[in-house]
Amino acid sequence: MTKKLFIAFILLMVAWVQPSAAEPAQQEIDLAEQFSQQANALYQHGKYQEALSLHQRALEIREKALGSEHESTATSLNNLAELYRVLGQYDRALPLYERSFAILEKTLGSEHESTAASLNNLGLLYEELGQYDKALRLYERSFAILEKALGSEHANTATILNNLGLLYEKLGQYDKALPLHQRALEITEKALGPEHASTATILNNLGALYLMLGQYDKALRLYERSFAILEKALGPEHASTATILNNLGGLYLRLGQYDKALPLHQRALEIREKTLGSEHESTADSLNNLGGLYLRLGQYDKALPLHQRALEIREKTLGSEHESTANSLNNLGLLYEELGQYDKALPLHQRALEITEKALGSEHESTAASLNNLGGLYLRLGQYDKALPLHQRALEITEKALGSEHANTATILNNLGLLYEELGQYDKAILHLQRAFHIALLTRVPDTLKSVEGNLGDYYATHGNIDAAIFYLKNAVNTMQSIRAESRSLDRSLQHSLLLTNQYIYNQLVDLLVEQGRLAEAQQVIAMLKGGRIFRLYPA
């Protein structure tokens, strides 16, 4: 799961004390300001637990010295709430944010920039809680205030554009998200400079959007630039640095470069556990993504406890009806499928679809993914009448949300092709498989391409077109060889399990070559299975 970086406002207002204030009270107020500044510095460096006690102390002093309705008290309430939000303690954050906003609106007015900052921060929290309608209204109101108060070229205005873009992206409205991220980046680079941490944040978010849209080259360049900036600005152990590591790992997984993906996911998990704690939702994201990589590598015994732990954390921190919980249910279901435990997989996929549709809507691409996965399980179970409408609906949503030439579209076309073949509708089957193949060639997602090539080979073998079957199976083996070549630095046991998971493609090709008396070619494929030098086959 790709992680985006929201931007919150840390309020830095300094309270002006009337000359009549008693000297001891002034000393207390100065001390609270020192605590607040120290806490903000710790926050910027990702030392959240250390910052927490300082913000708590600053709030305590300000409430006593200045009163519960003072704007400086509101500042402490906001900053303490932000810490709780980052730490995933949403139930503690919400009343503090609400109280801070009420004070600021009363003392500074509804059109003040600090009031707008408070609205933005409340929006962040509601977005993380999955309450997107509330978040959208708060962001839009915050943006209107800031644009009027600070101008359209101010860095704080860009912050709201960034957060609005992330919300629209989550809602699947990518055409609205893209110009917002691009505009936010343009403003931030101009206002704060190309090496600022906020610039890196928006680069990451724009990269995540390009990843979703299948524009992997653009995503990689943005992620790499974001990582270089954040590592320099915040340090290699910061939680935001871990986010970029996680996202880079997800991109490399998509590209079939598992040896690059694995250490990035491992490092991201290590940092998050250290900085955010073992029960944080971002830690759950890393557990989920590392589990997904182990699933792809065929290491099911490693994947299972990671997915189980991720689900447990997400249910605890986000609730049983959040889309991230649905994500974990889906991935755990896929793992149980690979283990042949279909009775465990089915209720997980059903529940994932129900939650996703409720949380994100019936036309969201994540809903399409859940429909596809539930349909795939019904296909395995031979319940074709249940599988067909799910896959058809998944295809319709995905083409609308992501386009007709996206890798996800190829995946669903592939699955529909397999289903039509089982139903004996061979004209539809080959039409869908061929279309999936052409999209997979364009998008160059290795795992998708390998699967489609293998399925085309199997189709043609079943229907007696052996030359075509050998052609596509050779292509599938070559794609798999490319994946193996990209994974040569993995531990040998991981390389072995990756090969075992995909051995069926090699075996099917060997059987066909032997049947055709092409023994030298068959020996070549067998040599590939035995390891050693990784090479490609010549086309049939």
Side-chain angles (χ1 to χ4, degrees), residues 312-351:
E312 182 183 348
I313 295 169
R314 284 170 165 174
E315 285 189 311
K316 181 179 178 182
T317 60
L318 300 171
S320 59
E321 299 300 308
H322 196 277
E323 78 256 19
S324 293
T325 302
N327 176 270
S328 277
L329 291 166
N330 170 78
N331 294 343
L332 195 54
L334 292 174
L335 178 55
Y336 281 128
E337 278 189 63
E338 293 303 319
L339 293 169
Q341 299 181 33
Y342 302 136
D343 57 328
K344 290 185 177 180
L346 183 58
L348 294 173
H349 282 308
Q350 290 170 328
R351 189 178 157 211

mmCIF file of all heavy atoms in Angstrom, residues 312-351:
data_model
loop_
_atom_site.group_PDB
_atom_site.id
_atom_site.type_symbol
_atom_site.label_atom_id
_atom_site.label_comp_id
_atom_site.label_asym_id
_atom_site.label_seq_id
_atom_site.Cartn_x
_atom_site.Cartn_y
_atom_site.Cartn_z
ATOM 1 N N GLU A 312 -4.608 -6.874 12.419
ATOM 2 C CA GLU A 312 -4.891 -6.630 13.835
ATOM 3 C C GLU A 312 -4.687 -5.159 14.196
ATOM 4 O O GLU A 312 -5.512 -4.545 14.877
ATOM 5 C CB GLU A 312 -3.993 -7.522 14.688
ATOM 6 C CG GLU A 312 -4.214 -7.396 16.181
ATOM 7 C CD GLU A 312 -3.243 -8.257 16.989
ATOM 8 O OE1 GLU A 312 -2.558 -9.105 16.394
ATOM 9 O OE2 GLU A 312 -3.169 -8.057 18.213
ATOM 10 N N ILE A 313 -3.586 -4.574 13.721
ATOM 11 C CA ILE A 313 -3.286 -3.171 14.018
ATOM 12 C C ILE A 313 -4.322 -2.255 13.371
ATOM 13 O O ILE A 313 -4.830 -1.319 13.996
ATOM 14 C CB ILE A 313 -1.873 -2.795 13.538
ATOM 15 C CG1 ILE A 313 -0.805 -3.576 14.316
ATOM 16 C CG2 ILE A 313 -1.632 -1.290 13.689
ATOM 17 C CD1 ILE A 313 0.587 -3.465 13.728
ATOM 18 N N ARG A 314 -4.641 -2.517 12.112
ATOM 19 C CA ARG A 314 -5.573 -1.652 11.404
ATOM 20 C C ARG A 314 -6.974 -1.707 12.024
ATOM 21 O O ARG A 314 -7.647 -0.677 12.130
ATOM 22 C CB ARG A 314 -5.621 -2.053 9.926
ATOM 23 C CG ARG A 314 -4.391 -1.575 9.153
ATOM 24 C CD ARG A 314 -4.297 -2.162 7.772
ATOM 25 N NE ARG A 314 -3.332 -1.431 6.952
ATOM 26 C CZ ARG A 314 -2.955 -1.795 5.739
ATOM 27 N NH1 ARG A 314 -3.459 -2.896 5.191
ATOM 28 N NH2 ARG A 314 -2.073 -1.079 5.064
ATOM 29 N N GLU A 315 -7.410 -2.882 12.400
ATOM 30 C CA GLU A 315 -8.720 -2.980 13.042
ATOM 31 C C GLU A 315 -8.734 -2.215 14.367
ATOM 32 O O GLU A 315 -9.727 -1.577 14.723
ATOM 33 C CB GLU A 315 -9.094 -4.442 13.271
ATOM 34 C CG GLU A 315 -9.527 -5.166 12.006
ATOM 35 C CD GLU A 315 -10.089 -6.535 12.266
ATOM 36 O OE1 GLU A 315 -9.441 -7.313 13.000
ATOM 37 O OE2 GLU A 315 -11.168 -6.855 11.737
ATOM 38 N N LYS A 316 -7.613 -2.254 15.062
ATOM 39 C CA LYS A 316 -7.525 -1.591 16.357
ATOM 40 C C LYS A 316 -7.425 -0.075 16.218
ATOM 41 O O LYS A 316 -8.085 0.674 16.949
ATOM 42 C CB LYS A 316 -6.313 -2.134 17.129
ATOM 43 C CG LYS A 316 -6.129 -1.543 18.523
ATOM 44 C CD LYS A 316 -4.920 -2.160 19.218
ATOM 45 C CE LYS A 316 -4.682 -1.548 20.589
ATOM 46 N NZ LYS A 316 -3.472 -2.109 21.246
ATOM 47 N N THR A 317 -6.613 0.401 15.287
ATOM 48 C CA THR A 317 -6.352 1.839 15.185
ATOM 49 C C THR A 317 -7.346 2.566 14.285
ATOM 50 O O THR A 317 -7.674 3.728 14.526
ATOM 51 C CB THR A 317 -4.924 2.115 14.669
ATOM 52 O OG1 THR A 317 -4.773 1.513 13.369
ATOM 53 C CG2 THR A 317 -3.887 1.558 15.611
ATOM 54 N N LEU A 318 -7.810 1.904 13.222
ATOM 55 C CA LEU A 318 -8.666 2.565 12.235
ATOM 56 C C LEU A 318 -10.110 2.094 12.289
ATOM 57 O O LEU A 318 -10.999 2.777 11.780
ATOM 58 C CB LEU A 318 -8.109 2.339 10.824
ATOM 59 C CG LEU A 318 -6.699 2.876 10.571
ATOM 60 C CD1 LEU A 318 -6.184 2.398 9.222
ATOM 61 C CD2 LEU A 318 -6.668 4.390 10.652
ATOM 62 N N GLY A 319 -10.318 0.921 12.852
ATOM 63 C CA GLY A 319 -11.664 0.388 12.940
ATOM 64 C C GLY A 319 -11.926 -0.679 11.901
ATOM 65 O O GLY A 319 -11.215 -0.807 10.898
ATOM 66 N N SER A 320 -12.963 -1.447 12.137
ATOM 67 C CA SER A 320 -13.266 -2.604 11.295
ATOM 68 C C SER A 320 -13.885 -2.223 9.954
ATOM 69 O O SER A 320 -14.012 -3.069 9.067
ATOM 70 C CB SER A 320 -14.212 -3.555 12.033
ATOM 71 O OG SER A 320 -15.414 -2.884 12.366
ATOM 72 N N GLU A 321 -14.271 -0.937 9.774
ATOM 73 C CA GLU A 321 -14.939 -0.514 8.544
ATOM 74 C C GLU A 321 -14.077 0.415 7.691
ATOM 75 O O GLU A 321 -14.582 1.028 6.748
ATOM 76 C CB GLU A 321 -16.256 0.200 8.899
ATOM 77 C CG GLU A 321 -17.259 -0.658 9.647
ATOM 78 C CD GLU A 321 -17.679 -1.884 8.859
ATOM 79 O OE1 GLU A 321 -18.079 -1.730 7.695
ATOM 80 O OE2 GLU A 321 -17.594 -2.998 9.400
ATOM 81 N N HIS A 322 -12.802 0.510 7.995
ATOM 82 C CA HIS A 322 -11.905 1.407 7.245
ATOM 83 C C HIS A 322 -11.372 0.694 6.005
ATOM 84 O O HIS A 322 -11.189 -0.517 5.994
ATOM 85 C CB HIS A 322 -10.744 1.833 8.143
ATOM 86 C CG HIS A 322 -9.985 3.012 7.625
ATOM 87 N ND1 HIS A 322 -8.984 2.900 6.688
ATOM 88 C CD2 HIS A 322 -10.063 4.334 7.924
ATOM 89 C CE1 HIS A 322 -8.478 4.093 6.436
ATOM 90 N NE2 HIS A 322 -9.123 4.986 7.169
ATOM 91 N N GLU A 323 -11.093 1.470 4.940
ATOM 92 C CA GLU A 323 -10.621 0.835 3.703
ATOM 93 C C GLU A 323 -9.264 0.167 3.864
ATOM 94 O O GLU A 323 -8.943 -0.797 3.148
ATOM 95 C CB GLU A 323 -10.589 1.831 2.539
ATOM 96 C CG GLU A 323 -9.418 2.776 2.520
ATOM 97 C CD GLU A 323 -9.792 4.174 2.965
ATOM 98 O OE1 GLU A 323 -10.829 4.360 3.609
ATOM 99 O OE2 GLU A 323 -9.017 5.090 2.651
ATOM 100 N N SER A 324 -8.416 0.653 4.794
ATOM 101 C CA SER A 324 -7.136 -0.009 5.031
ATOM 102 C C SER A 324 -7.335 -1.374 5.685
ATOM 103 O O SER A 324 -6.581 -2.307 5.424
ATOM 104 C CB SER A 324 -6.233 0.864 5.909
ATOM 105 O OG SER A 324 -5.854 2.032 5.221
ATOM 106 N N THR A 325 -8.345 -1.484 6.522
ATOM 107 C CA THR A 325 -8.704 -2.787 7.078
ATOM 108 C C THR A 325 -9.148 -3.716 5.956
ATOM 109 O O THR A 325 -8.765 -4.901 5.923
ATOM 110 C CB THR A 325 -9.821 -2.629 8.126
ATOM 111 O OG1 THR A 325 -9.379 -1.740 9.156
ATOM 112 C CG2 THR A 325 -10.196 -3.967 8.743
ATOM 113 N N ALA A 326 -9.939 -3.195 5.030
ATOM 114 C CA ALA A 326 -10.361 -3.987 3.873
ATOM 115 C C ALA A 326 -9.160 -4.435 3.051
ATOM 116 O O ALA A 326 -9.126 -5.564 2.534
ATOM 117 C CB ALA A 326 -11.321 -3.183 3.009
ATOM 118 N N ASN A 327 -8.176 -3.556 2.926
ATOM 119 C CA ASN A 327 -6.949 -3.907 2.198
ATOM 120 C C ASN A 327 -6.270 -5.108 2.826
ATOM 121 O O ASN A 327 -5.825 -6.035 2.124
ATOM 122 C CB ASN A 327 -6.027 -2.687 2.174
ATOM 123 C CG ASN A 327 -4.688 -2.953 1.541
ATOM 124 O OD1 ASN A 327 -3.739 -3.332 2.229
ATOM 125 N ND2 ASN A 327 -4.585 -2.763 0.247
ATOM 126 N N SER A 328 -6.187 -5.125 4.157
ATOM 127 C CA SER A 328 -5.573 -6.259 4.844
ATOM 128 C C SER A 328 -6.401 -7.531 4.686
ATOM 129 O O SER A 328 -5.851 -8.622 4.496
ATOM 130 C CB SER A 328 -5.396 -5.946 6.336
ATOM 131 O OG SER A 328 -4.214 -5.213 6.562
ATOM 132 N N LEU A 329 -7.720 -7.393 4.772
ATOM 133 C CA LEU A 329 -8.595 -8.556 4.585
ATOM 134 C C LEU A 329 -8.403 -9.152 3.193
ATOM 135 O O LEU A 329 -8.314 -10.377 3.030
ATOM 136 C CB LEU A 329 -10.052 -8.142 4.772
ATOM 137 C CG LEU A 329 -10.489 -7.757 6.190
ATOM 138 C CD1 LEU A 329 -11.832 -7.044 6.153
ATOM 139 C CD2 LEU A 329 -10.569 -8.994 7.080
ATOM 140 N N ASN A 330 -8.323 -8.275 2.198
ATOM 141 C CA ASN A 330 -8.104 -8.717 0.821
ATOM 142 C C ASN A 330 -6.792 -9.485 0.688
ATOM 143 O O ASN A 330 -6.743 -10.574 0.117
ATOM 144 C CB ASN A 330 -8.100 -7.503 -0.101
ATOM 145 C CG ASN A 330 -7.652 -7.851 -1.498
ATOM 146 O OD1 ASN A 330 -8.394 -8.395 -2.302
ATOM 147 N ND2 ASN A 330 -6.398 -7.536 -1.807
ATOM 148 N N ASN A 331 -5.720 -8.923 1.225
ATOM 149 C CA ASN A 331 -4.405 -9.537 1.058
ATOM 150 C C ASN A 331 -4.276 -10.844 1.828
ATOM 151 O O ASN A 331 -3.624 -11.786 1.372
ATOM 152 C CB ASN A 331 -3.313 -8.549 1.471
ATOM 153 C CG ASN A 331 -3.252 -7.351 0.535
ATOM 154 O OD1 ASN A 331 -3.786 -7.394 -0.575
ATOM 155 N ND2 ASN A 331 -2.631 -6.280 0.968
ATOM 156 N N LEU A 332 -4.904 -10.887 2.987
ATOM 157 C CA LEU A 332 -4.919 -12.133 3.743
ATOM 158 C C LEU A 332 -5.726 -13.186 2.981
ATOM 159 O O LEU A 332 -5.357 -14.373 2.949
ATOM 160 C CB LEU A 332 -5.508 -11.885 5.133
ATOM 161 C CG LEU A 332 -5.292 -12.956 6.202
ATOM 162 C CD1 LEU A 332 -3.815 -13.295 6.378
ATOM 163 C CD2 LEU A 332 -5.878 -12.491 7.532
ATOM 164 N N GLY A 333 -6.812 -12.750 2.347
ATOM 165 C CA GLY A 333 -7.596 -13.666 1.532
ATOM 166 C C GLY A 333 -6.797 -14.229 0.371
ATOM 167 O O GLY A 333 -6.865 -15.435 0.069
ATOM 168 N N LEU A 334 -6.013 -13.376 -0.304
ATOM 169 C CA LEU A 334 -5.174 -13.845 -1.409
ATOM 170 C C LEU A 334 -4.147 -14.874 -0.940
ATOM 171 O O LEU A 334 -3.866 -15.863 -1.626
ATOM 172 C CB LEU A 334 -4.455 -12.654 -2.057
ATOM 173 C CG LEU A 334 -5.330 -11.657 -2.814
ATOM 174 C CD1 LEU A 334 -4.495 -10.470 -3.278
ATOM 175 C CD2 LEU A 334 -6.009 -12.329 -4.007
ATOM 176 N N LEU A 335 -3.611 -14.636 0.253
ATOM 177 C CA LEU A 335 -2.625 -15.572 0.798
ATOM 178 C C LEU A 335 -3.268 -16.922 1.097
ATOM 179 O O LEU A 335 -2.710 -17.977 0.765
ATOM 180 C CB LEU A 335 -1.996 -14.980 2.057
ATOM 181 C CG LEU A 335 -0.968 -15.844 2.798
ATOM 182 C CD1 LEU A 335 0.150 -16.285 1.860
ATOM 183 C CD2 LEU A 335 -0.396 -15.086 3.980
ATOM 184 N N TYR A 336 -4.444 -16.904 1.713
ATOM 185 C CA TYR A 336 -5.135 -18.167 1.993
ATOM 186 C C TYR A 336 -5.487 -18.900 0.700
ATOM 187 O O TYR A 336 -5.494 -20.139 0.656
ATOM 188 C CB TYR A 336 -6.387 -17.916 2.830
ATOM 189 C CG TYR A 336 -6.108 -17.712 4.302
ATOM 190 C CD1 TYR A 336 -6.610 -16.603 4.992
ATOM 191 C CD2 TYR A 336 -5.325 -18.630 5.020
ATOM 192 C CE1 TYR A 336 -6.347 -16.415 6.348
ATOM 193 C CE2 TYR A 336 -5.053 -18.434 6.367
ATOM 194 C CZ TYR A 336 -5.570 -17.334 7.028
ATOM 195 O OH TYR A 336 -5.295 -17.159 8.358
ATOM 196 N N GLU A 337 -5.782 -18.155 -0.367
ATOM 197 C CA GLU A 337 -6.010 -18.792 -1.672
ATOM 198 C C GLU A 337 -4.782 -19.562 -2.123
ATOM 199 O O GLU A 337 -4.877 -20.710 -2.576
ATOM 200 C CB GLU A 337 -6.354 -17.733 -2.714
ATOM 201 C CG GLU A 337 -7.798 -17.288 -2.731
ATOM 202 C CD GLU A 337 -8.076 -16.420 -3.928
ATOM 203 O OE1 GLU A 337 -7.951 -16.907 -5.067
ATOM 204 O OE2 GLU A 337 -8.402 -15.231 -3.723
ATOM 205 N N GLU A 338 -3.616 -18.926 -2.027
ATOM 206 C CA GLU A 338 -2.386 -19.584 -2.451
ATOM 207 C C GLU A 338 -2.096 -20.818 -1.600
ATOM 208 O O GLU A 338 -1.492 -21.782 -2.074
ATOM 209 C CB GLU A 338 -1.207 -18.610 -2.381
ATOM 210 C CG GLU A 338 -1.283 -17.475 -3.388
ATOM 211 C CD GLU A 338 -1.374 -17.972 -4.818
ATOM 212 O OE1 GLU A 338 -0.665 -18.940 -5.174
ATOM 213 O OE2 GLU A 338 -2.176 -17.406 -5.584
ATOM 214 N N LEU A 339 -2.549 -20.791 -0.362
ATOM 215 C CA LEU A 339 -2.372 -21.944 0.526
ATOM 216 C C LEU A 339 -3.459 -22.987 0.324
ATOM 217 O O LEU A 339 -3.456 -24.024 0.995
ATOM 218 C CB LEU A 339 -2.369 -21.475 1.990
ATOM 219 C CG LEU A 339 -1.174 -20.603 2.413
ATOM 220 C CD1 LEU A 339 -1.430 -19.993 3.798
ATOM 221 C CD2 LEU A 339 0.109 -21.426 2.432
ATOM 222 N N GLY A 340 -4.403 -22.716 -0.585
ATOM 223 C CA GLY A 340 -5.482 -23.660 -0.849
ATOM 224 C C GLY A 340 -6.567 -23.663 0.208
ATOM 225 O O GLY A 340 -7.432 -24.550 0.216
ATOM 226 N N GLN A 341 -6.582 -22.667 1.084
ATOM 227 C CA GLN A 341 -7.563 -22.615 2.174
ATOM 228 C C GLN A 341 -8.708 -21.677 1.751
ATOM 229 O O GLN A 341 -8.880 -20.569 2.276
ATOM 230 C CB GLN A 341 -6.890 -22.142 3.460
ATOM 231 C CG GLN A 341 -5.766 -23.072 3.918
ATOM 232 C CD GLN A 341 -5.106 -22.620 5.213
ATOM 233 O OE1 GLN A 341 -5.743 -22.042 6.088
ATOM 234 N NE2 GLN A 341 -3.818 -22.898 5.333
ATOM 235 N N TYR A 342 -9.496 -22.162 0.799
ATOM 236 C CA TYR A 342 -10.520 -21.324 0.205
ATOM 237 C C TYR A 342 -11.641 -20.975 1.186
ATOM 238 O O TYR A 342 -12.275 -19.916 1.058
ATOM 239 C CB TYR A 342 -11.103 -22.018 -1.023
ATOM 240 C CG TYR A 342 -10.069 -22.352 -2.074
ATOM 241 C CD1 TYR A 342 -10.059 -23.590 -2.715
ATOM 242 C CD2 TYR A 342 -9.076 -21.428 -2.422
ATOM 243 C CE1 TYR A 342 -9.110 -23.901 -3.681
ATOM 244 C CE2 TYR A 342 -8.120 -21.723 -3.385
ATOM 245 C CZ TYR A 342 -8.141 -22.966 -4.007
ATOM 246 O OH TYR A 342 -7.197 -23.271 -4.945
ATOM 247 N N ASP A 343 -11.885 -21.860 2.150
ATOM 248 C CA ASP A 343 -12.934 -21.588 3.134
ATOM 249 C C ASP A 343 -12.581 -20.394 4.016
ATOM 250 O O ASP A 343 -13.468 -19.681 4.495
ATOM 251 C CB ASP A 343 -13.186 -22.825 3.996
ATOM 252 C CG ASP A 343 -11.923 -23.311 4.701
ATOM 253 O OD1 ASP A 343 -10.813 -23.153 4.135
ATOM 254 O OD2 ASP A 343 -12.028 -23.854 5.814
ATOM 255 N N LYS A 344 -11.280 -20.165 4.217
ATOM 256 C CA LYS A 344 -10.846 -18.993 4.973
ATOM 257 C C LYS A 344 -10.803 -17.752 4.074
ATOM 258 O O LYS A 344 -11.071 -16.634 4.537
ATOM 259 C CB LYS A 344 -9.459 -19.224 5.577
ATOM 260 C CG LYS A 344 -9.422 -20.248 6.709
ATOM 261 C CD LYS A 344 -8.033 -20.321 7.320
ATOM 262 C CE LYS A 344 -7.999 -21.295 8.496
ATOM 263 N NZ LYS A 344 -6.648 -21.382 9.108
ATOM 264 N N ALA A 345 -10.461 -17.954 2.818
ATOM 265 C CA ALA A 345 -10.307 -16.820 1.899
ATOM 266 C C ALA A 345 -11.650 -16.171 1.573
ATOM 267 O O ALA A 345 -11.748 -14.938 1.494
ATOM 268 C CB ALA A 345 -9.621 -17.276 0.613
ATOM 269 N N LEU A 346 -12.690 -16.972 1.384
ATOM 270 C CA LEU A 346 -13.966 -16.443 0.888
ATOM 271 C C LEU A 346 -14.568 -15.370 1.792
ATOM 272 O O LEU A 346 -14.896 -14.273 1.311
ATOM 273 C CB LEU A 346 -14.958 -17.595 0.664
ATOM 274 C CG LEU A 346 -16.318 -17.184 0.084
ATOM 275 C CD1 LEU A 346 -16.152 -16.468 -1.252
ATOM 276 C CD2 LEU A 346 -17.223 -18.406 -0.065
ATOM 277 N N PRO A 347 -14.742 -15.621 3.096
ATOM 278 C CA PRO A 347 -15.343 -14.561 3.923
ATOM 279 C C PRO A 347 -14.479 -13.304 4.015
ATOM 280 O O PRO A 347 -15.005 -12.198 4.185
ATOM 281 C CB PRO A 347 -15.513 -15.229 5.292
ATOM 282 C CG PRO A 347 -14.568 -16.382 5.297
ATOM 283 C CD PRO A 347 -14.499 -16.844 3.885
ATOM 284 N N LEU A 348 -13.165 -13.456 3.876
ATOM 285 C CA LEU A 348 -12.283 -12.294 3.906
ATOM 286 C C LEU A 348 -12.503 -11.418 2.674
ATOM 287 O O LEU A 348 -12.609 -10.188 2.776
ATOM 288 C CB LEU A 348 -10.820 -12.736 3.988
ATOM 289 C CG LEU A 348 -10.421 -13.454 5.278
ATOM 290 C CD1 LEU A 348 -9.003 -14.006 5.167
ATOM 291 C CD2 LEU A 348 -10.509 -12.521 6.475
ATOM 292 N N HIS A 349 -12.588 -12.049 1.495
ATOM 293 C CA HIS A 349 -12.841 -11.283 0.272
ATOM 294 C C HIS A 349 -14.229 -10.645 0.291
ATOM 295 O O HIS A 349 -14.404 -9.507 -0.160
ATOM 296 C CB HIS A 349 -12.692 -12.182 -0.953
ATOM 297 C CG HIS A 349 -11.268 -12.451 -1.340
ATOM 298 N ND1 HIS A 349 -10.348 -11.440 -1.519
ATOM 299 C CD2 HIS A 349 -10.601 -13.617 -1.594
ATOM 300 C CE1 HIS A 349 -9.186 -11.964 -1.860
ATOM 301 N NE2 HIS A 349 -9.317 -13.282 -1.912
ATOM 302 N N GLN A 350 -15.208 -11.374 0.791
ATOM 303 C CA GLN A 350 -16.568 -10.827 0.846
ATOM 304 C C GLN A 350 -16.632 -9.607 1.764
ATOM 305 O O GLN A 350 -17.244 -8.592 1.426
ATOM 306 C CB GLN A 350 -17.543 -11.909 1.317
ATOM 307 C CG GLN A 350 -17.769 -13.012 0.291
ATOM 308 C CD GLN A 350 -18.542 -14.193 0.858
ATOM 309 O OE1 GLN A 350 -18.433 -14.528 2.047
ATOM 310 N NE2 GLN A 350 -19.315 -14.850 0.010
ATOM 311 N N ARG A 351 -15.980 -9.720 2.906
ATOM 312 C CA ARG A 351 -15.987 -8.603 3.852
ATOM 313 C C ARG A 351 -15.195 -7.422 3.299
ATOM 314 O O ARG A 351 -15.591 -6.261 3.460
ATOM 315 C CB ARG A 351 -15.407 -9.066 5.190
ATOM 316 C CG ARG A 351 -15.575 -8.033 6.292
ATOM 317 C CD ARG A 351 -15.057 -8.510 7.629
ATOM 318 N NE ARG A 351 -14.738 -7.391 8.496
ATOM 319 C CZ ARG A 351 -13.782 -7.387 9.419
ATOM 320 N NH1 ARG A 351 -13.053 -8.480 9.619
ATOM 321 N NH2 ARG A 351 -13.543 -6.321 10.150
#
